[in-house]
Amino acid sequence: MAAAAAVARRVYRDFLHKKVISSPFTATSAITRRYCSSSPSSAPPQSKHKIPHFSSKGRLLTGATIGLLIAGGAYVSTVDEATFCGWLFSATKLVNPLFALLDAEQAHKLAVSAAARGWVPREKRPDPSILGLEVWGRKFSNPVGLSAGFDKNAEAVEGLLGMGFGFVEVGSVTPVPQEGNPKPRIFRLRKEGAIINRCGFNSEGIVAVAKRLSAQHGKRKLAETSSSSASSSDDVKHGGKAGPGILGVNLGKNKTSEDAAADYVQGVHTLSQYADYLVINVSSPNTPGLRMLQGRKQLKDLVKKVQAARDEMQWGEEGPPPLLVKIAPDLSKEDLEDIAAVALALRLDGLIISNTTISRPEPVDKNPLAAERGGLSGKPLFPLSTYILKEMYLLTRGKIPLIGCGGISSGEDAYKKIRAGATLVQLYTAFAYGGPALIPQMKAELAECLERDGFKSITDAVGADFR
């Protein structure tokens, strides 16, 4: 313990002198590598991105917390890797409350920067085998993904996948960079476990995103090449184009664009080569006129043009990336029937259900922030998004993979989505509040739910409520 205490003092002193900033997602992973390893390569990677600083009190509090975490972590690390990994994830709960001291958007930027720098715990433990599944010919180690909106500009793909998500979806990405709507535009409803946002597709644009994904793709290919001599040709390759885990790219349109299809086509031409799947986002409530593209004729025309753009490109043996559409929860029965008809007729590869809602269900309707314009996400969205999921599963007769999104905050919630017809699930708001510790917790709970009800796999449980 004396050695651990010495490590803690060194980290704390370095923190105060250099004003190192940690996020609740840091949980000492990068700093642990620096101070607990003799390898020069274990130093935290440098980044050009600026990270907002806390106040002096915030730095002192964070530094003290990190010191304590490192001291304990250095001790736990002497036990075994799995125990240490679990401790790192649990430790994020101790610093996560510090995010509440920051403006919502600043906290979001800090979290993305932390993940981009590798200042996040990395999952070393294998996922429960019962959670593994194959969709679109791609192997997922687990069905729990991070939805679009968190890493809009593909800055932190490696760090996010490394935390144990089965897949991560970046975006929405617009062809031309745009600032989005005026600030403030993100509002926490902490008591209700919800968030209202009206960001409006703030994006650095497809060129910036393409550069990052290209670098990530090249790194993955290099790793595969260097390890090929050490592995058998019969080995099953897990993960996708970005490494361990599957990468989705969510495409949007610019606010001032008059030709929506051209925007999505441009996204396909530029980004599809880096994606394990693509998403046409026509459901954000924060871009004027976007949701009108969910109409039967408009959606059919749009999907056909985007499919044609994808299919005209040259693809290897693995073929083109699957194409999905993300829909809103604020749809009538007739709207759902139209979307299902288009999806079946054009053999769409999947649907994401759903985006945020413009409604204000209980108990949000009693919160003063409910008057803020924008889309609501989080726990209050769960009943509505799950109802839409069930309806779409029945309308598509289970023939199209569905991704359940909206209000998931536990493994039990994920299980309910799967029983309602989801093959995969996504979260965002719960992750923003709960941090990295939520990921292994959800996967463990989901595995317990499946075993409890006698299912052998995720696939066996999909749509179980209708059998």
Side-chain angles (χ1 to χ4, degrees), residues 38-313:
S38 59
S39 172
S41 62
S42 61
Q46 298 299 314
S47 171
K48 296 180 181 179
H49 301 293
K50 286 187 175 181
I51 297 182
H53 289 270
F54 287 134
S55 64
S56 297
K57 290 183 179 179
R59 290 198 300 271
L60 288 170
L61 178 58
T62 307
T65 304
I66 292 175
L68 292 173
L69 294 178
I70 291 295
Y75 173 74
V76 175
S77 66
T78 63
V79 183
D80 60 75
E81 187 179 63
T83 302
F84 184 48
C85 182
W87 184 87
L88 284 177
F89 275 92
S90 297
T92 63
K93 297 178 182 179
L94 300 178
V95 289
N96 207 46
L98 292 173
F99 261 24
L101 303 176
L102 296 174
D103 166 78
E105 190 154 356
Q106 287 292 92
H108 177 219
K109 289 181 179 179
L110 182 60
V112 173
S113 295
R117 294 179 178 216
W119 294 356
V120 290
R122 190 169 185 86
E123 184 59 81
K124 299 291 186 179
R125 301 161 294 181
D127 288 331
S129 59
I130 196 172
L131 298 185
L133 72 163
E134 185 173 320
V135 191
W136 309 306
R138 289 145 174 82
K139 294 184 180 295
F140 292 72
S141 63
N142 71 77
V144 181
L146 180 63
S147 74
F150 186 86
D151 188 7
K152 292 176 180 288
N153 299 303
E155 298 173 76
V157 173
E158 186 176 5
L160 293 170
L161 285 174
M163 279 193 280
F165 283 111
F167 62 110
V168 168
E169 189 175 310
V170 300
S172 293
V173 186
T174 58
V176 178
Q178 61 180 27
E179 291 294 327
N181 293 321
K183 301 176 183 179
R185 53 193 180 187
I186 303 177
F187 307 90
R188 298 185 183 106
L189 291 77
R190 189 172 294 276
K191 183 179 179 181
E192 293 83 1
I195 289 175
I196 293 174
N197 93 83
R198 52 170 180 263
C199 291
F201 284 174
N202 51 312
S203 172
E204 292 181 13
I206 57 175
V207 173
V209 172
K211 287 181 179 178
R212 294 192 183 106
L213 293 183
S214 176
Q216 182 70 34
H217 185 63
K219 184 177 180 181
R220 168 69 163 170
K221 286 298 182 182
L222 182 62
E224 288 179 353
T225 302
S226 61
S227 63
S228 60
S229 58
S231 61
S232 167
S233 59
D234 295 328
D235 289 345
V236 176
K237 293 182 179 179
H238 294 273
K241 295 184 179 179
I246 302 298
L247 175 66
V249 176
N250 187 299
L251 305 175
K253 67 175 286 291
N254 283 110
K255 182 176 182 179
T256 58
S257 176
E258 297 181 1
D259 188 346
D263 279 13
Y264 291 107
V265 166
Q266 188 175 352
V268 169
H269 284 160
T270 308
L271 300 175
S272 60
Q273 60 184 312
Y274 310 118
D276 291 305
Y277 71 88
L278 293 167
V279 182
I280 303 174
N281 187 353
V282 291
S283 51
S284 170
N286 302 314
T287 298
L290 186 69
R291 288 192 169 191
M292 293 177 61
L293 297 174
Q294 294 175 117
R296 185 167 190 152
K297 183 181 184 305
Q298 296 93 326
L299 184 62
K300 185 176 182 179
D301 291 344
L302 176 62
V303 171
K304 288 176 70 174
K305 290 178 181 178
V306 176
Q307 284 179 331
R310 178 199 61 176
D311 296 342
E312 71 185 10
M313 298 175 68

